[in-house]
């Protein structure tokens, strides 16, 4: 064998991987790939079993439909009801009720009617059906019957009685019917029953604090308040017309009853948090202000001046209404800010994953072009390279967890989104650049290897051949490094997803359920308004 052939033999370059433990290196690579694949499989199995094996098919699709927009949820629920009818002959009431909430306009009322027949003991369902009868087809008499049925069912609730009064007044706007409606409002005002708005259908495995649930809740409250707005408009309009004519009669008493109804809608400090929110608070304050405006006109007409108590109450209600409007004006911005914060970890992950994949493929193509083979793969990564790689991946995991659970952390630890993004991309840049630089620093120079072989005196060295082997070893180390970086990042993503699921009960891509709906902020605001308004006399004004 010539000296040139000896020099080209890989065993002549142990510093570049020649003569290493190829079998052991191959086992190590396969073991790492197996660990990554196993972690990915575990994460996917966890997600799949929870979403598709935890419940039967109908319940799984019902649960999924609750988080979809109407157009997307409709065909899913139609399939669920159809399958449930075939399997049980009588479909499950909650599936039919869920379908009624998203059904086409011409099918909504028949669907609600079917749901009520299947579950005639649900006051919440009766209220929803009555509101649909009232609003969609102005079937006020039927709506009144549904509201009356709801008022007889547990729990005790003043809302269906107020809605019944609205349907009664809308049926016939004569003074006699209006007088009967006002009498019903008076009896309801004097009752001890709280005002409880129906809650949207939801699954017990899904959280209620997210943007999507709060949106559904606000939609239902608005539907229930719509008949009451119509009632208030009717009463105030008739009162204004009569007062303009100098006809006062019992209008002050009737307007006071409307005002008290508004106070009941606002609730008090003992009202359950689930039934406190900006939507019903706005309606309650609006009804009070409308009634007070006409009561002030009556006071001025009858006594020549306005009762100071009415003025004081009006001022406080206007201040409360301003706070509500300010909150509502900021709502969308606050929700969007939180949504972007929730999206940022996903954005980081996708961009970084694609970057690592592209880099790994580019280095792999260069290895193919150089025809490096796999003999240089027996080289071990130095300890400092492993330390930097592991430390960088751990930092990425910590940044993901920090961004995901930022609201739960003390205020002193909060960083803005730009600061977190900067930290993330600095770590990614260091990991990427280190993979390009460190093989050249770690491997001995071609000239050093050249002199080592020359000193042995057994063969005649050729510098060009030595440089080629070193170049091959460099690219082999790069490819292995970026392979470890890509696989390690996949492990980081799986750990993040599983940790997120264990702590938050959701997956990080369930943005509609994770983004804040500001429900706790609404409750705090309503409590503030209740405290503000409780300092003035209301019912006795």
């Amino acid at each position: 064998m010539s000296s040139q052939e000896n020099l080209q033999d890989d065993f002549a370059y142990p510093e570049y991987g020649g003569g290493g433990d190829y079998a052991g290196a191959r086992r190590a690579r396969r073991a790492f790939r197996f660990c990554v694949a196993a972690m990915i499989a575990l994460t996917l199995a966890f997600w799949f079993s929870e979403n598709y094996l935890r419940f039967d098919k109908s319940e799984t699709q019902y649960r999924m439909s609750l988080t979809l927009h109407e157009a997307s949820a409709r065909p899913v629920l139609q399939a669920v009801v159809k399958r449930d009818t075939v399997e049980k002959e009588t479909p499950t009431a909650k599936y039919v009720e869920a379908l009624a909430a998203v059904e086409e306009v011409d099918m909504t009322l028949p669907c609600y009617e079917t749901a009520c027949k299947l579950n005639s003991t649900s006051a919440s369902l009766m209220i929803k059906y009555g509101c649909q009868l009232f609003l969609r087809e102005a079937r006020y008499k039927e709506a009144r019957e549904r509201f009356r049925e709801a008022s007889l069912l547990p729990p005790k609730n003043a809302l269906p009685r107020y809605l019944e009064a609205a349907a009664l007044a809308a049926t016939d706007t004569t003074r006699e019917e209006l007088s009967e409606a006002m009498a019903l409002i008076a009896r309801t005002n004097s009752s001890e029953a709280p005002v409880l708005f129906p809650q949207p259908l939801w699954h017990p495995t899904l959280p209620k604090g997210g943007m999507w649930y709060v949106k559904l809740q606000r939609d239902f409250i608005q539907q229930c308040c719509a008949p009451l707005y119509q009632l208030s408009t009717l009463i105030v309009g008739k009162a204004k017309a009569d007062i303009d004519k100098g006809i006062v009669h019992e209008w002050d008493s009737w307007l006071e009853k409307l005002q008290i109804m508004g106070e009941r809608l606002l609730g008090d400090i003992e009202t359950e948090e689930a039934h406190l929110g900006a939507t019903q608070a706005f309606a309650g304050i609006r009804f009070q202000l409308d009634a007070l405006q006409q009561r002030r006109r009556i006071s001025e007409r009858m006594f020549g001046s306005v009762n100071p108590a009415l003025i004081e109450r009006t001022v406080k209600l206007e201040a409360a209404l301003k706070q509500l409007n300010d909150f509502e004006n900021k709502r969308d911005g606050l929700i969007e800010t939180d949504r972007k914060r929730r999206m940022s970890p996903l954005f980081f992950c996708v961009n970084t994953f694609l970057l690592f994949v592209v880099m790994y493929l580019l280095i792999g193509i260069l290895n193919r072009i150089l025809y490096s083979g796999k003999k240089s793969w027996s080289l071990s990564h130095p300890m400092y390279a492993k330390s930097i790689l592991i430390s960088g991946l751990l930092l990425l995991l910590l940044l993901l967890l920090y961004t995901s659970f930022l609201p739960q952390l003390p205020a002193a630890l909060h960083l803005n989104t730009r600061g977190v993004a900067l930290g993330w991309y600095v770590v990614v840049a260091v990991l990427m650049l280190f993979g390009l630089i460190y093989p050249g620093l770690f491997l001995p120079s071609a000239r050093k290897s050249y002199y080592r072989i020359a000193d042995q005196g057994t063969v005649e060295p050729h510098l060009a051949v030595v440089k080629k082997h070193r170049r091959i070893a460099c690219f082999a180390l790069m490819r292995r490094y970026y392979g470890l970086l890509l696989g390690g990042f996949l492990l980081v993503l799986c750990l993040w997803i599983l940790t997120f699921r264990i702590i938050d009960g959701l997956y990080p891509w369930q943005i509609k359920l994770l983004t804040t709906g500001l429900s706790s902020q609404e409750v705090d605001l309503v409590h503030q308004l209740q405290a503000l308004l409780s300092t003035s006399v209301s019912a006795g004004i």
Side-chain angles (χ1 to χ4, degrees), residues 169 175 178 182 185 228-244 247 251-252 254-259 261 283 285-298:
R175 195 172 189 85
L178 189 58
M182 297 310 301
I185 291 175
L228 301 181
Y229 274 111
Q230 185 169 321
L231 171 64
S232 176
T233 301
L234 176 64
I235 295 172
V236 172
K238 284 185 172 294
K240 184 177 184 301
D242 281 357
I243 295 170
D244 288 341
I247 304 173
W251 274 118
D252 188 68
W254 285 6
L255 290 167
E256 181 184 0
K257 293 177 177 58
L258 177 63
Q259 180 184 337
M261 184 184 79
I285 293 174
R286 186 73 266 169
F287 298 159
Q288 293 182 64
L289 279 173
D290 290 344
L292 279 170
Q293 184 180 11
Q294 300 308 315
R295 292 189 68 193
R296 289 175 63 175
R297 295 181 65 211
I298 293 174

Side-chain angles (χ1 to χ4, degrees), residues 137 177 212 230 243 320 325 334 345 357 363 403 406 435 494 500:
E137 295 190 7
E177 292 293 336
W212 189 251
Q230 185 169 321
I243 295 170
N325 284 325
L334 293 173
V357 168
I363 298 298
T403 308
L406 183 61
C494 292
F500 196 102

Side-chain angles (χ1 to χ4, degrees), residues 83-158:
R83 183 190 309 110
D84 203 46
T85 303
V86 172
E87 293 176 354
K88 301 179 181 178
E89 295 186 1
T90 301
T92 305
K94 69 177 181 179
Y95 297 160
V96 181
E97 181 181 349
L99 177 59
V102 299
E103 190 54 283
E104 297 283 359
V105 175
D106 58 337
M107 292 298 297
T108 297
L109 293 179
C111 208
Y112 267 115
E113 183 178 2
T114 302
C116 287
K117 290 178 180 177
L118 294 171
N119 187 12
S120 58
T121 60
S122 173
S124 176
L125 178 56
M126 290 295 178
I127 292 174
K128 293 175 185 177
Y129 183 28
C131 288
Q132 293 297 321
L133 289 167
F134 190 106
L135 299 173
R136 288 186 181 272
E137 295 190 7
R139 291 157 61 176
Y140 302 126
K141 290 184 178 180
E142 294 179 56
R144 181 186 175 189
E145 290 301 317
R146 301 293 82 76
F147 295 140
R148 181 182 294 172
E149 291 174 15
S151 67
L152 300 176
L153 295 170
K156 291 183 178 180
N157 189 1

Side-chain angles (χ1 to χ4, degrees), residues 265-279:
L265 288 175
L266 180 61
D268 55 39
I269 199 67
E270 295 181 358
T271 305
E272 294 182 13
E273 290 189 358
H275 298 282
L276 289 177
T279 306

